[in-house]
Amino acid sequence: MAKDTRPSGQGLQDALLGQPADVLFDDDALSADVASAGEEVAEPLRRLSGGRDEPLKSEDCLQHQMIRAALQWKALACGKQDLQQWRAEASDITHILKDFVDFVALTRAVAMQHSKAGWPRLEHLLGLAALRLKLDPSPALAKMVAERVGLMIQHPGVVDHLEIAAACSIRLATVRNALSRREMRFRRGEGVEIGEAMDWMIKRKGFLYPAINAASRERRINGRLAAAHLAQLSEVEHRRQISRLRLSEWQVRATGQRFAINSQGIQHCLMMVSLDDAEPLKLLGAQALENRSDDPAARLYQESFLTAPGQQLWQFQVPTMAVLEGLIDYFAKGSVREESLSKYSGTRA
């Protein structure tokens, strides 16, 4: 396995990997770190500004601003908002967000000067925010935002071991093992190409940024992303959960065609549908097509889907959002249009 010899992503902390982001960046924990870090740097700041020994009257206000900034950074770092939404909400506090970056740098310097542990949570928060910007499907916008708030996107286009682990809330050893099994290709001196890494990360339960995959029609999806997308479409309606099969059933309004997906699936988006002819599914990019009509559990499936006697039952993978949309279009119209073939041909296996 190739060893990553490049500097790790900005501020990411090995010791904090593997923890769920919502637990790691708990609001109270962030606030406490900001408060204690502020107390530590208050004295050097006071000396640098020529202040007297008594507490500065603005300290409480400054602390409040840094806590506010930390929580705003959390929304981006933990994938709670897409970049456009985050940018809009953060537009009126851009200077505070930039001050927070300087504040964390100052706390790091003070900790190093006095051989103290410092506040790794705050550094990890900014490192994760920089990583989120690097992964964004609009790199020009991400770069502009990073420059405005004082962050640097290091090594654009690739991610290293540490960044992959941080994005998925997993241990570094898990990523190294995946690379040794060649689940991703690591280019020595560079890293893993972002698109390839995203296809791997979307299969991890703790991946923080699945919405990025949903926003890109060519990026790999899973059952959860597919279900969330279908819930927003007017062309289909959710009928019910089939608990015994761990599937959710949907119906296309225009034709009544029913299909099911693994709406809680992480590894893949699996679809099951009853059709006589599977050839259009292949043309539209369905992968790993399998006829389940003679499956030992076929009766259970057919009872669940209320399929017509003799009709074939097919199961397959839906790799991308583009393929999902092409399939819904086909189910709604009953035919594969030439424009659909050209539109989705690039996603075929």
Side-chain angles (χ1 to χ4, degrees):
M1 181 190 71
K3 185 178 180 181
D4 184 9
T5 57
R6 300 186 298 103
S8 294
Q10 176 177 323
L12 295 174
Q13 306 289 308
D14 292 30
L16 299 182
L17 296 176
Q19 299 184 47
D22 285 343
V23 174
L24 179 61
F25 299 121
D26 174 75
D27 288 3
D28 290 340
L30 276 179
S31 299
D33 278 5
V34 169
S36 63
E39 292 175 1
E40 188 69 26
V41 301
E43 182 58 28
L45 279 175
R46 186 179 295 110
R47 289 197 300 268
L48 287 171
S49 62
R52 294 171 295 179
D53 291 337
E54 62 267 17
L56 296 175
K57 295 180 180 180
S58 61
E59 278 185 2
D60 290 340
C61 179
L62 178 60
Q63 184 180 114
H64 173 77
Q65 289 180 342
M66 293 301 95
I67 291 174
R68 182 185 179 188
L71 298 180
Q72 188 68 46
W73 278 118
K74 172 186 173 180
L76 179 67
C78 295
K80 303 298 184 183
Q81 298 175 323
D82 63 38
L83 184 55
Q84 290 283 11
Q85 181 185 9
W86 185 84
R87 180 190 177 203
E89 291 193 8
S91 60
D92 62 334
I93 60 167
T94 300
H95 64 289
I96 298 177
L97 295 173
K98 193 173 186 306
D99 286 347
F100 183 81
V101 176
D102 295 337
F103 169 73
V104 172
L106 179 60
T107 60
R108 182 193 312 120
V110 170
M112 291 177 62
Q113 177 69 21
H114 299 285
S115 300
K116 294 185 177 181
W119 297 268
R121 190 194 319 271
L122 302 183
E123 292 188 53
H124 195 74
L125 175 66
L126 289 182
L128 204 53
L131 173 59
R132 167 61 185 82
L133 290 172
K134 180 195 283 195
L135 297 178
D136 197 83
S138 303
L141 175 62
K143 180 180 179 182
M144 181 188 70
V145 171
E147 290 174 349
R148 286 187 177 180
V149 294
L151 287 184
M152 178 183 297
I153 299 178
Q154 298 177 343
H155 309 289
V158 295
V159 287
D160 62 23
H161 303 67
L162 191 61
E163 290 171 319
I164 295 171
C168 298
S169 303
I170 55 179
R171 295 291 185 182
L172 204 56
T174 304
V175 179
R176 295 192 187 282
N177 290 338
L179 289 167
S180 68
R181 293 191 296 267
R182 301 187 183 279
E183 295 175 12
M184 294 175 283
R185 292 171 297 173
F186 185 86
R187 298 167 177 82
R188 183 179 295 274
E190 296 181 17
V192 179
E193 189 272 325
I194 281 181
E196 185 177 354
M198 293 286 282
D199 285 348
W200 186 87
M201 292 190 290
I202 191 63
K203 299 178 182 179
R204 313 274 79 79
K205 186 177 181 180
F207 182 45
L208 294 172
Y209 315 119
I212 295 178
N213 284 52
S216 173
R217 300 180 64 260
E218 308 305 322
R219 191 72 68 215
R220 185 162 292 275
I221 61 172
N222 57 26
R224 288 188 179 182
L225 282 181
H229 181 69
L230 291 171
Q232 300 174 8
L233 298 181
S234 59
E235 301 97 312
V236 299
E237 61 178 334
H238 178 253
R239 289 186 56 81
R240 63 197 175 104
Q241 294 293 129
I242 308 175
S243 301
R244 57 183 175 174
L245 299 180
R246 296 183 180 180
L247 299 172
S248 60
E249 185 180 29
W250 302 76
Q251 180 170 316
V252 180
R253 298 181 191 275
T255 60
Q257 175 68 57
R258 297 184 185 184
F259 62 92
I261 62 169
N262 59 333
S263 55
Q264 293 303 311
I266 297 295
Q267 291 290 317
H268 306 285
C269 174
L270 292 178
M271 181 178 287
M272 186 169 284
V273 63
S274 183
L275 287 173
D276 291 325
D277 183 13
E279 191 60 28
L281 306 180
K282 298 178 183 178
L283 294 174
L284 290 169
Q287 296 179 356
L289 204 67
E290 181 180 358
N291 190 329
R292 303 297 298 271
S293 304
D294 297 324
D295 190 284
R299 182 178 176 182
L300 180 62
Y301 294 135
Q302 290 165 345
E303 288 175 353
S304 299
F305 296 137
L306 303 177
T307 58
Q311 200 167 42
Q312 302 293 303
L313 187 64
W314 298 94
Q315 178 179 292
F316 50 90
Q317 291 182 20
V318 182
T320 66
M321 200 65 73
V323 173
L324 178 63
E325 291 176 353
L327 290 166
I328 299 303
D329 183 69
Y330 168 68
F331 294 154
K333 295 178 173 59
S335 62
V336 180
R337 298 176 300 174
E338 282 299 320
E339 58 193 83
S340 293
L341 288 177
S342 62
K343 190 176 183 181
Y344 302 107
S345 59
T347 63
R348 278 182 274 174

